[in-house]
Amino acid sequence: MLLSHIPSYFKARRDKLMADNPGGIFILPGAVDMYRNGDQSYPLRQDSNLYYLTGYVETDAWLVLAPAAASSPQGKGGYRTVLFVQHRDLDKEMWNGERYGTDRAMKIFGADEAHVIDELDKKLPELFAGAEKVFYRLGTTERGESNDRRVLAAMHAHRRSLGRTGKPVLPVFDPNGPLGEMRLFKTPEEVELIRTACRITAAGHKHVMENIRPGMNEGDIQTMIEHEFRRGGASCPSFGTIAAGGKNAACLHYMSNNEPLRDGELVLVDAGAEYAQYSGDITRTFPVGRKFSPAQARIYDVVLKAQKAGVAACKPGVTITGVHKRVSEVMIEGLLSLGLLSGDVQEIFTNNTHKRFFPHNTSHWMGLDVHDAGLYLNNDGSSRTLEPGMLFSVEPGFYVQPGDTEASAEYQGIGIRIEDDVLITRDGCENLTTLVPKERAEIEALRSK
Ligand code: ZN
Ligand code: MG
């Protein structure tokens, strides 16, 4: 179904981007259909930058934000929003659904100009007029290569049109620089959408925690949780669902999801709902049966303590690396007390000895991409300081590889991760995913119903 109204915040974002980057031309190709096999494509997901600036979701679109000529309606110092879109084609639309076309790209999406995508190569060189720098992401994907060629050809044509003026070649910058910085700070509208994505995600996890029984398959978790996501209003999962029973949980990106769930083992579920293009991302680990075994409980308590210490550390002024350090220290203390590590906490942290059991970082930014845009480090290499509006995961994990015979047998093959999504507020943080239990007693109570 086509939308007939697009919120004004998309235009406000374009205004800010162009005001912050005077003289820049932004060239942003959208997502195109990718073939899975034969003539069957993967579900289309719009490029997050193009979506962030327009709300436009169709395949085969390019967005160009170009400096305006002094004689144009936008005037000197202004900019033009130019959308290239699929042309209307009633025959194709009968097969694949209605298209917006150029008229509605202007009326609904507020483009100053809209052209059919076939005119891109002809029109693009003209749009460089008045530009002093180019924002285009060069050299990204295989598919990006043909985009690169089109942009470079347009830059070449533009340069030739200048004649012998001695003007310098336009420098090219990555648009993810300024756009990543904007996307890192969530506006109240974005927070509401992410709040919904998190609520749907949490409800799905809780449903799985209540209904999974020994003898079911990991695939049952995937279908059950993704069904709840859709039922809750999500358009799709925000990444590939991980439903890992027993030792499969020790594989960080396990996605086969096709083995039986056995009583006595744990199951790790890492899944998120995508709502209005925004991601939720939660991990819970719970017993396939009713209770944690004593060994599982000991490890679970260490991971939970580290995770809660991480959430408690999230506030303005702390660095994102500082949160990870705090989580790692609590984790290391726990592993020392269980005899899985030996030595001094700080020494272990500095030497990364704990990475044998906790090999990943604690956090990733969240937003339109589940691993969202934005720099984790400042230009001088120091860690980013947390500020209100930043939104990210807190997800320590503990894994003993099944073949790690140096660890005591009762711990081998255990994988436990606990993940919540937090928003930095003025004086601390708000945990957006508290709806799904993580206290061991609460989980056991739910599993025993
Ligand atoms: Zn995550
Ligand atoms: Mg996750």
Side-chain angles (χ1 to χ4, degrees):
M1 190 187 65
L2 298 186
L3 300 171
S4 57
H5 170 72
I6 289 294
S8 59
Y9 51 67
F10 291 106
K11 180 181 182 310
R13 291 173 190 163
R14 299 196 294 272
D15 287 349
K16 176 169 164 42
L17 180 70
M18 295 308 277
D20 288 351
N21 296 281
I25 175 173
F26 281 79
I27 305 171
L28 301 161
V32 292
D33 292 314
M34 303 277 277
Y35 290 93
R36 183 174 181 273
N37 62 14
D39 58 359
Q40 297 301 305
S41 50
Y42 288 102
L44 184 87
R45 169 52 157 73
Q46 186 56 284
D47 171 74
S48 292
N49 282 337
L50 194 147
Y51 181 81
Y52 182 75
L53 293 168
T54 59
Y56 196 79
V57 292
E58 283 181 16
T59 185
D60 244 346
W62 283 48
L63 170 68
V64 181
L65 302 176
S71 58
S72 71
Q74 295 79 29
K76 196 173 159 45
Y79 73 95
R80 285 182 298 158
T81 299
V82 185
L83 265 172
F84 292 88
V85 300
Q86 305 180 93
H87 63 282
R88 297 296 309 268
D89 181 331
L90 295 182
D91 183 48
K92 289 256 167 61
E93 289 178 41
M94 180 182 80
W95 287 91
N96 299 320
E98 196 178 346
R99 299 173 173 185
Y100 283 108
T102 51
D103 287 350
R104 289 189 286 191
M106 293 176 68
K107 263 194 221 106
I108 299 174
F109 294 88
D112 299 303
E113 280 174 41
H115 306 285
V116 296
I117 188 70
D118 301 342
E119 290 191 21
L120 179 79
D121 297 319
K122 198 173 98 209
K123 296 273 179 197
L124 196 51
E126 301 163 16
L127 296 171
F128 282 88
E132 288 156 19
K133 48 191 164 183
V134 180
F135 289 89
Y136 171 74
R137 197 148 218 232
L138 270 170
T140 50
T141 59
E142 271 172 52
R143 192 189 84 227
E145 227 179 274
S146 79
N147 291 343
D148 291 357
R149 276 199 298 274
R150 297 175 87 171
V151 172
L152 292 173
M155 288 179 71
H156 181 65
H158 162 66
R159 185 155 177 74
R160 270 195 315 193
S161 76
L162 296 177
R164 192 182 298 128
T165 56
K167 281 193 180 172
V169 175
L170 296 178
V172 181
F173 298 91
D174 186 348
N176 269 32
L179 278 164
E181 193 60 24
M182 281 176 72
R183 284 171 51 188
L184 184 53
F185 296 92
K186 271 66 187 178
T187 60
E189 298 88 18
E190 288 185 290
V191 169
E192 279 319 302
L193 297 174
I194 298 171
R195 211 183 277 287
T196 305
C198 286
R199 184 172 44 71
I200 298 169
T201 302
H205 275 268
K206 194 164 179 209
H207 181 81
V208 162
M209 211 183 260
E210 284 166 340
N211 290 288
I212 284 301
R213 293 291 174 261
M216 288 183 175
N217 192 282
E218 291 166 342
D220 292 316
I221 295 181
Q222 181 175 355
T223 47
M224 198 182 278
I225 204 163
E226 292 180 8
H227 174 257
E228 285 305 301
F229 290 167
R230 285 301 295 257
R231 222 169 61 83
S235 51
C236 56
S238 51
F239 57 92
T241 296
I242 298 174
K247 64 176 169 34
N248 295 334
C251 170
L252 299 183
H253 290 163
Y254 177 79
M255 288 218 267
S256 318
N257 301 347
N258 58 4
E259 290 195 27
L261 297 163
R262 298 175 196 89
D263 200 357
E265 293 184 335
L266 297 176
V267 60
L268 180 155
V269 184
D270 185 351
E274 186 170 293
Y275 177 79
Q277 315 274 323
Y278 285 88
S279 299
D281 181 7
I282 296 177
T283 308
R284 290 291 185 266
T285 310
F286 58 87
V288 172
R290 290 166 180 245
K291 285 196 178 324
F292 290 83
S293 74
Q296 291 163 351
R298 281 196 291 276
I299 305 260
Y300 189 88
D301 291 348
V302 168
V303 180
L304 182 61
K305 194 172 174 197
Q307 202 267 353
K308 286 165 137 183
V311 174
C314 292
K315 59 180 175 202
V318 172
T319 64
I320 188 81
T321 311
V323 174
H324 178 60
K325 184 159 187 280
R326 183 72 201 117
V327 166
S328 303
E329 285 166 353
V330 177
M331 188 81 103
I332 292 166
E333 280 162 16
L335 299 184
L336 286 171
S337 73
L338 294 182
L340 280 155
L341 289 174
S342 58
D344 168 73
V345 175
Q346 291 309 322
E347 218 166 87
I348 291 170
F349 179 72
T350 312
N351 297 334
N352 284 323
T353 321
H354 61 296
K355 292 218 159 171
R356 173 172 152 219
F357 301 119
F358 176 24
H360 52 77
N361 270 321
T362 298
S363 303
H364 55 79
W365 307 131
M366 291 180 56
L368 286 171
D369 293 346
V370 65
H371 298 162
D372 209 31
L375 295 175
Y376 292 86
L377 300 177
N378 299 310
N379 284 336
D380 64 3
S382 62
S383 174
R384 193 91 202 217
T385 301
L386 299 178
E387 294 175 55
M390 288 177 165
L391 208 151
F392 53 91
S393 67
V394 178
E395 50 174 314
F398 171 90
Y399 319 87
V400 185
Q401 295 310 310
D404 187 346
T405 47
E406 277 172 47
S408 116
E410 59 182 350
Y411 296 133
Q412 285 170 29
I414 289 184
I416 293 173
R417 182 163 64 250
I418 305 169
E419 173 177 28
D420 283 318
D421 306 334
V422 304
L423 167 72
I424 297 295
T425 57
R426 268 219 326 250
D427 43 16
C429 78
E430 182 188 341
N431 186 340
L432 303 178
T433 48
T434 51
L435 213 77
V436 48
K438 63 182 175 186
E439 293 296 334
R440 193 152 57 79
E442 256 183 279
I443 292 176
E444 290 183 339
L446 211 59
R447 295 297 300 145
S448 300
K449 266 189 194 165

